[in-house]
Amino acid sequence: CGKIRIENEILSSNKNIFSELSKYWMSKQDVAESTTKRQQSLLEVINQHIGQIPVYEIKAMDVLKVYRLYKKDGKLKKLK
């Protein structure tokens, strides 16, 4: 199937870093423009920290660290 082939190409290429996969995921979403903007804002924050890491190397602690940084600064409330 074409969709599976494309997804496999993304995973097997150098595009398996979080920022590239999140960009691909965003392109497949069918949501309101306001939702897209909020999701993109959040992904910009996340990508500053883990965007260049291959997805298979991201650990729960990496995500938790980003969450704690932004919670501490009160920035998460701004993204809602």
Side-chain angles (χ1 to χ4, degrees):
C1 181
K3 181 180 177 184
I4 293 172
R5 181 184 55 76
I6 292 170
E7 289 173 358
N8 285 338
E9 285 175 16
I10 290 171
L11 291 173
S12 64
S13 71
N14 289 334
K15 296 181 180 180
N16 63 358
I17 60 174
F18 182 84
S19 62
E20 290 297 320
L21 288 174
S22 66
K23 212 181 299 182
Y24 174 75
W25 177 79
M26 285 294 297
S27 73
K28 300 299 179 188
Q29 300 306 301
D30 185 21
V31 294
E33 185 177 341
S34 60
T35 302
T36 299
K37 286 181 181 181
R38 280 195 313 270
Q39 289 175 343
Q40 286 174 333
S41 294
L42 182 57
L43 285 172
E44 286 174 18
V45 167
I46 295 168
N47 285 335
Q48 291 175 12
H49 299 279
I50 62 172
Q52 297 305 308
I53 301 174
V55 222
Y56 59 85
E57 290 182 13
I58 296 174
K59 307 287 187 247
M61 288 305 298
D62 298 323
V63 176
L64 188 58
K65 188 161 112 177
V66 174
Y67 169 77
R68 286 180 177 159
L69 282 171
Y70 284 86
K71 182 180 178 192
K72 177 182 166 190
D73 292 342
K75 294 178 181 176
L76 288 176
K77 291 180 183 177
K78 294 177 188 176
L79 294 173
K80 290 183 180 180

